[in-house]
Amino acid sequence: MLYSFEGFSQPARRSKLSRSRVVVTGIGCVSPLGLDIESTWKSIVEGRSGVAPITLFDATDFKTTFAAEVKGFDAEELLGRRDARRMDRFTHFSVVSTSQALQNAGLEVTDDNRDRIGAIIGTGIGGIGTLFDETLKYAERGPRWVSPFLVPMMLPDISAGQVAIQFGLRGPNMAVVTACASSANAIGEAAEIIRRGHADAMVAGGAEAAIVPIAVGGFNAMDAVSKRNDDPASASRPFDLNRDGFVIGEGAASLILESYEHAQARGANMLAEVLGYAANNDAYHITAPAENGSGAAICMRNALSDAGLDVDSIDYINAHGTSTPLNDKSETAAIKAIFGERAYDVPISSTKSMTGHLLGAAGALESMFCIKAMQDGVLPPTINYETPDPECDLDYVPNEARKAKIECTMTNSFGFGGHNATLIFGLPGANGAGS
């Protein structure tokens, strides 16, 4: 080991009055379980899998022939033919999810406020589909056939840029690229921008569309993805002893964050408050997490400290829970290190068992699930949990959703390169959140 994993203690509690407050007023998503948050959440509560054989390309010769695709999505119908053809699929998803979130928030963008509304959209890979298609065109027909839209369609920042263009947002605008932690970082950093007073409201989220041959082939070469081709719906099985890798998913999720004062002044419906955020790095390996979960544990501890909360305040953890042997074991170890005996009492689930792994968009979608869990008093299940792993021995809400009182949630996101991000959300009126 590179460092000791001892001495973790309860974080010092920060005064809740020491900084400005940030609330969530709108949510929207495009996912493998539905084209909006209502249909997606209904499928989550019912424990449905969004994993099926790949239809976006012929996967016959691949080791893995399934994924969690977004189904029934017509970009030209939703965005118009001209705009749809000048955006990669990941940007299609982001623009649509942002439209939903703005409508859900009742936030009208005008000449009077557009300079104070920004966007941060995270992505792990960006427009890899466009890059792959244009590379094939170059190889087959030469450089003159490469699209002039290749570069602006493939850049990771273009989703945030297109969101700004489509909705007229002239505030802070950027992309976050921290692999599978990208959109969790986007939410956390957007909240910090509001706290600094640089914006009144931010679109924060993530988008990913990496179900393309080169990406699937690359993940197969790493032995990172499941190969349960005989039963795709059961392939994503976080914390189960027989897990054999993650399932690639795609989609987008967008949250509208506002300062408490701004939301209150316009009479907005406050769905949740961003109570805590932390980010760090394992400094251990390019793809594998530290086996003892040390980096993840530090991140969770720091998020609790940022929120001014102790472990007894957390009612539910939406785990990163990828269904890979190392991740699930190390995340379990990290939760035990920070939560102690409380680890055995707090419900934990991985919604990736149903959505697959949306890579850079995962953290934003899972943040929404935390918010919906609090609103509806429902713990999302971890489906396909059949055989307990002795090293993963916590309450993973196996197979069926469960009713519970949930006022404060934590969600973890970890990415290749050692990136870790943790977010803590509270219900308005609970844990000091606005009402």
Side-chain angles (χ1 to χ4, degrees):
M1 294 184 187
L2 299 179
Y3 38 70
S4 173
F5 188 42
E6 298 177 355
F8 284 88
S9 59
Q10 290 280 352
R13 297 188 63 168
R14 175 187 54 78
S15 168
K16 295 173 185 176
L17 299 178
S18 65
R19 64 176 179 179
S20 59
R21 294 157 64 182
V22 175
V23 294
V24 182
T25 58
I27 53 178
C29 77
V30 174
S31 84
L33 294 174
L35 301 184
D36 53 42
I37 189 61
E38 290 77 15
S39 58
T40 297
W41 178 244
K42 184 175 186 290
S43 293
I44 287 289
V45 172
E46 293 175 353
R48 295 181 184 176
S49 172
V51 183
I54 291 172
T55 64
L56 293 172
F57 64 91
D58 183 359
T60 302
D61 295 332
F62 287 72
K63 294 178 184 177
T64 298
T65 61
F66 57 88
E69 296 178 345
V70 170
K71 306 162 189 73
F73 184 89
D74 188 330
E76 291 193 6
E77 178 182 341
L78 293 167
L79 301 171
R81 188 169 184 266
R82 180 177 178 274
D83 281 348
R85 292 194 168 197
R86 295 182 177 187
M87 298 180 194
D88 185 86
R89 185 172 169 89
F90 91 109
T91 302
H92 294 159
F93 294 154
S94 186
V95 171
V96 171
S97 70
T98 297
S99 177
Q100 294 174 16
L102 286 167
Q103 184 175 4
N104 183 240
L107 180 59
E108 182 182 359
V109 181
T110 68
D111 287 337
D112 291 332
N113 67 12
R114 67 177 75 251
D115 291 345
R116 298 284 298 170
I117 304 175
I120 302 184
I121 308 296
T123 183
I125 299 178
I128 192 171
T130 296
L131 177 60
F132 179 71
D133 290 343
E134 294 301 316
T135 300
L136 288 180
K137 193 186 298 184
Y138 168 84
E140 293 169 0
R141 306 178 73 176
R144 293 186 180 182
W145 290 91
V146 174
S147 169
F149 293 101
L150 164 61
V151 174
M153 286 173 66
M154 64 171 268
L155 290 172
D157 74 303
I158 201 63
S159 182
Q162 283 283 15
V163 163
I165 292 165
Q166 296 295 318
F167 301 104
L169 312 180
R170 293 200 299 236
N173 186 277
M174 66 193 74
V176 174
V177 182
T178 49
C180 302
S182 297
S183 58
N185 283 134
I187 294 169
E189 296 302 324
E192 293 301 314
I193 285 174
I194 294 171
R195 289 194 175 105
R196 291 199 300 266
H198 293 176
D200 295 322
M202 294 287 293
V203 177
E208 206 78 90
I211 304 175
V212 297
I214 191 66
V216 175
F219 284 125
N220 265 158
M222 294 173 61
D223 283 327
V225 290
S226 173
K227 302 179 185 67
R228 288 179 179 266
N229 296 315
D230 58 333
D231 188 12
S234 73
S236 185
R237 47 182 54 239
F239 306 107
D240 185 89
L241 180 64
N242 297 314
R243 62 193 183 275
D244 72 327
F246 73 87
V247 174
I248 302 174
E250 63 174 359
S254 301
L255 284 69
I256 306 302
L257 307 186
E258 299 183 51
S259 70
Y260 174 76
E261 293 78 12
H262 186 266
Q264 186 181 49
R266 69 180 191 88
N269 180 27
M270 302 183 197
L271 306 178
E273 181 171 355
V274 183
L275 297 177
Y277 164 60
N280 71 342
N281 197 286
D282 286 351
Y284 176 76
H285 190 272
I286 58 171
T287 58
E291 291 189 21
N292 59 7
S294 54
I298 294 167
C299 195
M300 283 186 277
R301 182 195 63 186
N302 291 347
L304 285 164
S305 178
D306 187 55
L309 299 173
D310 56 35
V311 297
D312 292 331
S313 301
I314 303 299
D315 300 315
Y316 166 64
I317 300 173
N318 187 292
H320 187 56
T322 58
S323 186
T324 60
L326 282 180
N327 174 89
D328 297 0
K329 182 174 69 172
S330 66
E331 187 171 11
T332 297
I335 292 170
K336 289 179 181 178
I338 295 304
F339 283 75
E341 288 302 312
R342 168 78 173 138
Y344 292 91
D345 297 325
V346 63
I348 304 159
S349 67
S350 173
T351 45
K352 289 183 179 72
S353 59
M354 295 167 277
T355 66
H357 191 350
L358 270 64
L359 308 175
L365 186 64
E366 289 155 15
S367 293
M368 286 190 187
F369 295 153
C370 285
I371 292 168
K372 292 296 291 183
M374 291 190 293
Q375 289 182 322
D376 293 355
V378 176
L379 296 166
T382 303
I383 69 168
N384 301 320
Y385 186 84
E386 297 173 349
T387 307
D389 181 343
E391 294 187 273
C392 299
D393 58 349
L394 304 179
D395 175 10
Y396 304 112
V397 195
N399 300 312
E400 292 186 4
R402 186 189 307 162
K403 285 283 188 181
K405 183 179 180 181
I406 311 165
E407 295 185 342
C408 190
T409 62
M410 171 183 284
T411 182
N412 290 325
S413 294
F414 312 135
F416 285 176
H419 304 287
N420 304 308
T422 297
L423 291 162
I424 298 175
F425 295 94
L427 270 182
N431 296 293
S435 56

